[in-house]
Amino acid sequence: MIGLIKKDILVLKSNFKILIPIFVIYIFMAFQGMLDISTLLSFLSVMLMMSTFSYDNLNKWDAYAVTLPNGRKNLVKAKYLATVIVILLTSLVATIVSFIITINKGENINYQYIFITLGATIFATFLFQALMYPIIFKFGLEKARLILFILIFGLIFLGGFLINKIDFSFLAAVIDYFSNFIVLILLGLGLLVLIGSYIVSVNIYLKKEF
Amino acid sequence: MNALEIKNLNKKYEGFELKNVSFTVEEGTVMGLIGENGAGKTTIIKAILNILTNYKGEILIFEADNKKNLNIYEDVGVVLDDMFFPEILYVKDINSIMKDIFTKWDSKLFFQYLEMFKLPLNKQIKTLSKGMRKKLEIITALAHHPKLLILDEPTTGIDPIARSEVIDLFRNFMQDEKCSILLSSHITTDLEHIADYITFIDKGEVVLADSCPLLMDNYGIVKCNEKEFQKIAKDDYLKYKKNKYDYEVLISNKKEFKKKYDIKIIDNITLEELMVLMIKGGK
Amino acid sequence: MDIIISNSSGIPIYEQIKEQIKDKIINNELVSGELLPSIRSLARDLRCSVITTKNAYEELEKEGYVKTIPAKGTYVNNINVELIREEQLKKVESLLEKVVNIATINKIKKKEIMDILNILFEEEK
């Protein structure tokens, strides 16, 4: 299975040249304050993982990979583990960049703010990937893109609707209450959702024909 | 021992059906799977390799059920049509990935093969020509010392020189009497000189299965005029085809036929002619 | 050792292999006790299937020219002169049969044939 994780990392490595300009633009935007560092992080990790799916798809890697002795379960597991690794790596980059930005502005580093943002972003990214993967495994990348597009718009619409109807100020109180643990809670919750998603994906993938 | 055994394989798609396909590949032999495009060769191979999950029938690899025992795939080398590593990867990446997938992966052998076939290490797969890519796929299938090679159209789309190099690789592989090959191809000339047995698939069914040299020695094509054709008893031929100027008649026993009939032209057969007459011929 | 196979002669390939090895044994090119190439390496080098070379060796063994020892290989047998003579005599007979056939069809007399034979034997001397 290590070989399978390696495959995704090597695909990303080969892809790095194409990604560098995007990377630079994002960081530049973050420096300009046009883009929050957490958005950068989630965009990047989602984009990176989507690209591995699309390269797999191009050469029908999955059909080839299921003939190897690793088994289907490990193929899915490797994808999820690669995702976690990528998110951790981009988090690291994002944290460093956000430190630099703060120092650059001559402000004091607000550790709590940075970590809470980071935790929230990782949580959101986990949620997104957790939602995305079973859809990709079930319907394939092409259809999954469309489904996700519709889903995201639906969520934004719903979110906007709810914000107007419900008073969310209690959330601030909740966050305040847990203040010191909130990052850990978010990460744990995100991981749990990801594991749930993994189980669903395995069940889909075990029956899949290529 | 049997390297591979397929018992009553059935699979239904829309507009296509695999019907009760059974055959065996004995250890130490080469089995050629022939048939038109779309006859079901790839579907059979996909079932053997667990690419398909929902089919009826039993498939045994080294006498173990292919669904229950994934370990058997440690000893299987695979070349599939158009299914491989993401082409953005570099040739050398295959080694770093595969050595963590196959316990018996032999990096030294892999690099040796690359050198032998003049394949570049530091190039992306997508920059390779079609022939080079096919060679890379075959080398990859061989580098973990498999006991059974399963090859779907391994020589399609590559030039005659590369093709003969590839066939030589298979011949060398077969020097070990524990090794076996299942090889599908619609380029039948490749098979004539390497296959021990032939299984002919048409419209999802096995229509002919025989020893390949026996088939080449005994089968023949009688060429004659209408008057001569009328004299041939129905039991003495398999198929016939009426052309503008002559009849082509497929027979399965040249010797007997020569004794019985006074028809001058009885040609030897190629697998290709056999295929065409079996599919297009009448009875 | 030369073995030359034709794919278009109409003679089965296993038979061509068998005949050529047999000739070499009879002509002492292959001597008693000599190890023959394995069926797999012979198949590779003649570019034919393994089943073909296996068939050829089996036939040779049946006719007593070679002996296969499992896990060791196939060796040239110690064949007796009698056997070879018989074999060669058979060959002569079948060739003469053809001669007689052609002669009968074309009304060539027995005496004429004998004359030709005599001349040929003289020349051989």
Side-chain angles (χ1 to χ4, degrees):
Chain A
M1 195 186 55
I2 291 165
L4 297 170
I5 299 173
K6 245 190 205 169
K7 185 224 100 218
D8 276 342
I9 303 298
L10 285 168
V11 163
L12 291 176
K13 200 178 133 202
S14 304
N15 207 6
F16 209 63
K17 275 184 210 139
I18 307 164
L19 290 170
I20 285 174
I22 300 167
F23 214 72
V24 170
I25 291 167
Y26 276 5
I27 290 177
F28 176 77
M29 284 166 87
F31 267 95
Q32 296 299 309
M34 293 158 73
L35 194 79
D36 190 64
I37 195 64
S38 54
T39 323
L40 159 81
L41 152 69
S42 56
F43 264 28
L44 208 62
S45 58
V46 169
M47 203 181 65
L48 287 173
M49 285 316 292
M50 282 295 246
S51 80
T52 68
F53 274 107
S54 112
Y55 283 113
D56 287 353
N57 198 37
L58 181 65
N59 295 100
K60 298 186 191 146
W61 157 258
D62 284 279
Y64 183 73
V66 296
T67 73
L68 304 173
N70 37 254
R72 289 176 178 236
K73 208 171 166 181
N74 279 329
L75 275 162
V76 178
K77 205 187 274 173
K79 209 56 160 181
Y80 277 85
L81 286 175
T83 304
V84 173
I85 291 169
V86 165
I87 290 176
L88 290 181
L89 280 177
T90 46
S91 307
L92 193 72
V93 174
T95 314
I96 292 166
V97 171
S98 92
F99 277 144
I100 295 170
I101 292 173
T102 327
I103 292 165
N104 205 33
K105 282 181 185 160
E107 291 167 2
N108 284 332
I109 295 171
N110 183 346
Y111 289 101
Q112 203 190 8
Y113 172 75
I114 287 177
F115 283 122
I116 287 182
T117 323
L118 199 64
T121 315
I122 292 177
F123 174 67
T125 316
F126 273 175
L127 276 191
F128 183 72
Q129 315 267 56
L131 178 71
M132 188 168 80
Y133 288 6
I135 296 175
I136 294 177
F137 284 130
K138 177 83 193 176
F139 299 104
L141 191 61
E142 292 308 313
K143 278 187 203 156
R145 279 203 179 113
L146 192 74
I147 294 169
L148 283 167
F149 191 72
I150 294 165
L151 263 176
I152 288 167
F153 266 83
L155 280 176
I156 290 171
F157 186 76
L158 193 74
F161 180 75
L162 287 177
I163 280 171
N164 285 332
K165 293 276 169 198
I166 304 165
D167 183 12
F168 278 103
S169 53
F170 74 92
L171 269 180
V174 172
I175 290 172
D176 245 16
Y177 183 75
F178 288 112
S179 60
N180 291 322
F181 307 105
I182 193 76
V183 175
L184 285 178
I185 290 171
L186 281 177
L187 284 182
L189 218 60
L191 219 52
L192 228 61
V193 174
L194 207 59
I195 290 168
S197 159
Y198 160 72
I199 292 166
V200 175
S201 289
V202 165
N203 279 312
I204 292 168
Y205 204 77
L206 280 177
K207 288 185 213 115
K208 193 167 177 173
E209 301 200 321
F210 299 93
Chain B
M1 188 164 113
N2 289 328
L4 175 67
E5 207 176 337
I6 296 173
K7 292 180 190 164
N8 294 316
L9 179 62
N10 283 278
K11 170 80 189 169
K12 233 181 194 163
Y13 284 121
E14 224 182 279
F16 173 76
E17 198 181 347
L18 217 54
K19 280 169 261 166
N20 278 319
V21 172
S22 302
F23 63 86
T24 311
V25 182
E26 265 174 66
E27 190 179 74
T29 66
V30 180
M31 166 71 84
L33 210 53
I34 62 171
E36 284 183 288
N37 284 334
K41 297 179 306 239
T42 301
T43 308
I44 293 170
I45 285 176
K46 279 182 166 178
I48 298 168
L49 293 172
N50 267 330
I51 297 173
L52 299 181
T53 50
N54 184 23
Y55 56 80
K56 285 201 195 91
E58 198 181 358
I59 295 172
L60 305 174
I61 300 179
F62 306 120
E63 299 181 346
D65 191 303
N66 73 329
K67 280 184 171 171
K68 289 173 194 142
N69 203 334
L70 285 175
N71 266 341
I72 49 178
Y73 290 98
E74 286 273 1
D75 289 322
V76 179
V78 174
V79 175
L80 294 162
D81 205 14
D82 268 339
M83 300 165 194
F84 199 50
F85 282 85
E87 63 183 18
I88 191 173
L89 288 175
Y90 288 79
V91 172
K92 61 176 179 201
D93 291 342
I94 291 177
N95 180 60
S96 15
I97 294 165
M98 284 304 215
K99 70 176 194 233
D100 289 326
I101 288 180
F102 285 104
T103 47
K104 285 187 290 176
W105 180 263
D106 187 342
S107 296
K108 219 173 117 193
L109 182 68
F110 181 70
F111 290 128
Q112 220 173 303
Y113 276 143
L114 288 181
E115 214 178 299
M116 203 164 111
F117 285 100
K118 300 187 179 62
L119 288 168
L121 260 179
N122 286 310
K123 281 223 166 114
Q124 285 179 308
I125 299 170
K126 67 176 172 191
T127 64
L128 303 180
S129 70
K130 203 164 181 190
M132 284 168 107
R133 197 188 282 221
K134 207 77 217 180
K135 282 187 206 165
L136 179 65
E137 290 176 22
I138 291 163
I139 289 169
T140 307
L142 285 169
H144 62 279
H145 302 285
K147 294 249 171 311
L148 171 64
L149 279 184
I150 296 182
L151 314 159
D152 194 14
E153 304 280 351
T155 55
T156 305
I158 61 177
D159 64 78
I161 307 291
R163 232 167 68 201
S164 99
E165 284 173 335
V166 161
I167 296 284
D168 281 345
L169 258 187
F170 298 154
R171 284 188 207 289
N172 281 326
F173 173 77
M174 286 308 292
Q175 291 306 298
D176 183 345
E177 60 194 45
K178 292 248 178 302
C179 289
S180 328
I181 299 179
L182 173 69
L183 165 63
S184 95
S185 185
H186 64 263
I187 306 174
T188 49
T189 40
D190 287 345
L191 292 172
E192 276 163 21
H193 301 299
I194 190 170
D196 294 305
Y197 298 95
I198 289 287
T199 298
F200 181 5
I201 309 286
D202 187 35
K203 295 182 193 79
E205 277 181 287
V206 177
V207 288
L208 187 75
D210 210 336
S211 134
C212 182
L214 222 65
L215 211 142
M216 307 289 292
D217 291 342
N218 294 341
Y219 281 55
I221 299 183
V222 174
K223 289 178 182 158
C224 60
N225 59 30
E226 182 157 6
K227 220 172 114 195
E228 287 169 315
F229 175 69
Q230 299 299 351
K231 283 185 201 153
I232 305 172
K234 257 200 155 150
D235 289 342
D236 288 334
Y237 71 89
L238 295 172
K239 297 268 177 168
Y240 76 95
K241 193 163 152 253
K242 184 182 186 307
N243 301 316
K244 191 168 177 191
Y245 300 110
D246 68 342
Y247 275 77
E248 285 178 290
V249 187
L250 179 68
I251 56 169
S252 61
N253 196 331
K254 276 188 288 199
K255 260 190 199 156
E256 290 293 311
F257 194 90
K258 268 182 205 161
K259 274 186 206 158
K260 202 163 167 186
Y261 298 97
D262 184 29
I263 296 176
K264 292 260 160 19
I265 301 176
I266 304 175
D267 279 352
N268 289 333
I269 199 161
T270 62
L271 284 179
E272 195 172 310
E273 290 166 322
L274 176 80
M275 232 165 89
V276 172
L277 275 170
M278 286 297 286
I279 294 169
K280 297 271 178 216
K283 173 86 203 190
Chain C
M1 182 167 75
D2 298 332
I3 297 177
I4 297 158
I5 300 299
S6 160
N7 283 322
S8 57
S9 67
I11 302 166
I13 291 170
Y14 83 89
E15 214 170 298
Q16 294 183 45
I17 298 170
K18 182 185 99 180
E19 288 305 323
Q20 289 184 40
I21 290 178
K22 206 153 97 184
D23 278 351
K24 286 177 179 26
I25 294 172
I26 290 167
N27 298 324
N28 240 352
E29 210 177 302
L30 286 170
V31 293
S32 154
E34 199 171 329
L35 177 65
L36 291 176
S38 74
I39 52 166
R40 284 174 193 276
S41 72
L42 189 63
R44 175 187 59 194
D45 298 328
L46 292 176
R47 298 167 304 283
C48 65
S49 53
V50 173
I51 209 176
T52 305
T53 51
K54 199 173 158 196
N55 209 340
Y57 277 19
E58 275 170 5
E59 294 268 320
L60 281 169
E61 183 156 20
K62 233 188 269 165
E63 293 176 26
Y65 287 91
V66 301
K67 182 153 187 58
T68 299
I69 300 166
K72 277 202 155 170
T74 303
Y75 296 87
V76 176
N77 244 351
N78 191 4
I79 45 161
N80 54 18
V81 189
E82 208 65 356
L83 190 87
I84 297 174
R85 212 185 123 74
E86 207 175 295
E87 183 75 26
Q88 299 302 73
L89 211 62
K90 254 191 217 159
K91 241 190 214 171
V92 171
E93 199 182 315
S94 85
L95 285 171
L96 282 177
E97 213 179 285
K98 266 188 204 152
V99 172
V100 173
N101 236 329
I102 297 168
T104 330
I105 291 167
N106 296 293
K107 301 206 164 65
I108 299 166
K109 282 181 189 124
K110 185 177 162 192
K111 168 114 194 345
E112 282 173 86
I113 304 279
M114 290 308 232
D115 287 343
I116 297 168
L117 266 179
N118 281 332
I119 293 163
L120 286 175
F121 269 113
E122 278 308 306
E123 275 174 5
E124 271 298 300
K125 273 180 193 166

